[in-house]
Amino acid sequence: MWSADEIAGLCYLHYRTRLPKQGKPDPNREWTSLAAVVKVESAAQREALDSPGNLQVTKEVVAMGTGTKCIGQNKMRKTGDILNDSHAEIVAKRSFQRYLLHQLWLAASHQQCIFSPGTETGKWKLKPNIIFIFFSSHTPCGDASIFPISEPENRLPKPVTEGHGAGQSAECRSDHYHLCPEDKRKSEKMPKNSIIKRMKTEDGGCFSITTEDLAVHHESVEQEDNVNQKSCECSAEMQTANKESGLVRPKVVDVHRTGAKCVPGELDDARIPGLGYHCVGLLRVKPGRGDRTCSMSCSDKLARWNVLGCQGALLMHFLQYPVYLSAIIVGKCPYSQEAMRRAVIERCQHISSLPDGFLAQEVKLLQSDLQFEHSRQAIQEVQSNSKTKLVPCSAGTQRRGRI
């Protein structure tokens, strides 16, 4: 019916051919993130019965957005005339809501649309042969971005990523143990029985391993931060060596990091160099360029949509059931299926006592092998020999119909 690569390719084609040049990055020095919603419509039940061997499926990009910006709390306006969160996922979801509003207007006007009358008077519901798939060119910022760096990624010049948070302190330098600037300072506080070794790869690159006993490491985390140990446990994926083809690989001293900060007043990250830097499963706010933001991370918002739907409070007055995503697809980038599932699905599985029609979904999580042409990683590969500093694109784009 559809595949991850097919959905990714459709979104990239839409970006190249349907969006204007204005607002797109300068490929010589800028990068951006892309997100979109794709409608997948199969033949109606009657048509399927008439032609069972010729089932027609149409796929259409109905919403798209790009962007990496999020304003700080001091720039927020009570009048609502400034967008707080312009990360690609949020711009695309906002665009999707406009699409749904337009479809509801078509329904009320007795025109062809995605809705059919519900059983409740004045309410509408999504037609059963239509589903929506969310695509993102990158791993969402926040909890989904926290996972171990696998050995092949250690061969990259800058293995540690921060989702949208470009230029943050977690950016590593390959010529210094793959530790971040703040980690270099904190590494002096590591127990004396900890030894960091440089290991060479076949292509001449380097990655770091530690011989530190993990039990001692966890004890130091508990003593320094006095944080609930269970809440700050890294996943089993972080605690064990990577296994491929029966071979045990060295334990890596670092993890992919997110620029998103823990919600003030709640549990905080341990910030111990290496595996103990982040606590997983926590709510986070997006990083700002200066003062702290009040916008929740994309991981947290995706988890919310997976329970409450994407339609928003206004549309819910006219819908009998929420509009859920059937799948979330991530483009080619550093990615962990375990981290995505933890961030989007598992954190909300315990939620109960929801209104009728609402339910924590078991959304399908997939990754495509196709890379976004204006992603940070793609631009870095093209400009590998350039001394120009890469920055996030200053403008974002949104499309829904004529937008």
Side-chain angles (χ1 to χ4, degrees):
M1 191 165 159
W2 55 268
S3 67
D5 284 353
E6 185 180 7
I7 297 299
L10 185 65
C11 293
Y12 296 157
L13 179 63
H14 189 97
Y15 173 81
R16 287 194 301 269
T17 60
R18 299 292 298 277
L19 266 63
K21 245 184 176 182
Q22 183 180 6
K24 290 182 179 178
D26 175 356
N28 294 317
R29 64 182 186 88
E30 293 180 326
W31 59 273
T32 193
S33 299
L34 170 75
V37 178
V38 177
K39 179 186 74 170
V40 178
E41 184 174 4
S42 57
Q45 186 175 6
R46 182 179 300 176
E47 297 174 10
L49 292 174
D50 294 340
S51 316
N54 189 27
L55 185 61
Q56 296 293 321
V57 177
T58 59
K59 293 171 278 291
E60 178 189 5
V61 177
V62 297
M64 177 171 283
T66 66
T68 61
K69 306 293 185 180
C70 187
I71 67 170
Q73 56 186 358
N74 292 331
K75 294 183 180 179
M76 295 176 67
R77 299 278 290 271
K78 293 181 180 179
T79 54
D81 56 345
I82 294 180
L83 293 178
N84 300 332
D85 190 345
S86 294
H87 280 206
E89 295 96 324
I90 313 309
V91 176
K93 191 258 191 178
R94 195 178 294 127
S95 178
F96 181 49
Q97 285 181 323
R98 293 191 62 170
Y99 167 81
L100 294 176
L101 278 168
H102 178 67
Q103 291 293 313
L104 189 62
W105 178 84
L106 292 176
S109 304
H110 306 288
Q111 300 182 53
Q112 184 67 27
C113 66
I114 64 173
F115 294 117
S116 60
T119 56
E120 298 180 27
T121 304
K123 296 290 184 79
W124 302 85
K125 61 181 180 180
L126 189 66
K127 291 179 179 178
N129 61 319
I130 294 176
I131 64 170
F132 293 104
I133 299 173
F134 192 87
F135 173 77
S136 177
S137 64
H138 56 284
T139 302
C141 66
D143 196 56
S145 293
I146 305 172
F147 54 91
I149 302 174
S150 61
E151 185 174 345
E153 290 165 341
N154 274 298
R155 301 177 185 180
L156 296 175
K158 296 179 181 180
V160 176
T161 64
E162 297 186 15
H164 297 289
Q168 299 293 325
S169 60
E171 185 176 291
C172 291
R173 299 293 185 267
S174 60
D175 59 350
H176 193 64
Y177 296 109
H178 281 249
L179 293 179
C180 309
E182 54 191 285
D183 285 356
K184 296 172 189 174
R185 297 191 297 269
K186 291 184 178 182
S187 62
E188 300 174 0
K189 300 180 182 180
M190 294 177 68
K192 294 182 179 180
N193 63 336
S194 302
I195 302 174
I196 298 178
K197 295 182 179 181
R198 292 294 294 270
M199 304 294 289
K200 289 188 176 181
T201 59
E202 296 176 358
D203 59 358
C206 295
F207 66 95
S208 306
I209 62 172
T210 180
T211 58
E212 175 188 359
D213 179 67
L214 287 178
V216 175
H217 179 72
H218 283 294
E219 183 179 353
S220 67
V221 173
E222 183 177 2
Q223 291 175 351
E224 180 171 338
D225 291 272
N226 193 25
V227 178
N228 186 311
Q229 184 176 357
K230 184 176 181 180
S231 298
C232 284
E233 281 182 350
C234 291
S235 64
E237 183 183 9
M238 294 183 181
Q239 301 293 357
T240 58
N242 182 26
K243 296 182 180 181
E244 291 182 8
S245 305
L247 298 177
V248 179
R249 299 184 183 275
K251 295 181 179 67
V252 183
V253 299
D254 215 339
V255 293
H256 286 282
R257 302 193 185 168
T258 178
K261 311 299 181 185
C262 294
V263 173
E266 301 295 329
L267 290 175
D268 202 355
D269 290 319
R271 295 190 180 90
I272 298 296
L275 299 179
Y277 189 89
H278 278 309
C279 293
V280 298
L282 303 182
L283 296 175
R284 298 174 180 272
V285 292
K286 290 176 178 172
R289 287 162 175 80
D291 58 325
R292 184 185 286 268
T293 78
C294 292
S295 299
M296 301 302 293
S297 71
C298 290
S299 293
D300 297 334
K301 291 188 177 184
L302 280 166
R304 178 183 178 178
W305 304 341
N306 196 46
V307 178
L308 301 180
C310 294
Q311 72 290 327
L314 176 61
L315 270 170
M316 200 60 219
H317 287 292
F318 308 98
L319 298 179
Q320 188 167 344
Y321 304 108
V323 177
Y324 288 112
L325 300 169
S326 295
I328 299 174
I329 299 174
V330 176
K332 184 179 180 182
C333 66
Y335 173 87
S336 166
Q337 184 76 7
E338 179 183 340
M340 275 291 289
R341 180 172 178 80
R342 176 190 70 226
V344 177
I345 299 176
E346 293 178 354
R347 292 192 297 170
C348 298
Q349 285 182 329
H350 67 283
I351 296 177
S352 59
S353 302
L354 292 167
D356 291 342
F358 290 87
L359 183 67
Q361 303 293 299
E362 189 73 23
V363 63
K364 186 178 295 185
L365 304 173
L366 300 168
Q367 185 183 27
S368 167
D369 289 327
L370 303 182
Q371 187 178 64
F372 178 43
E373 61 186 277
H374 287 152
S375 69
R376 186 178 187 180
Q377 189 173 356
I379 300 300
Q380 282 178 335
E381 292 172 359
V382 173
Q383 301 293 334
S384 58
N385 296 324
S386 173
K387 295 183 179 180
T388 304
K389 182 180 179 180
L390 300 182
V391 296
C393 182
S394 58
T397 57
Q398 173 178 292
R399 182 173 183 86
R400 207 297 302 163
R402 294 187 299 273
I403 296 171

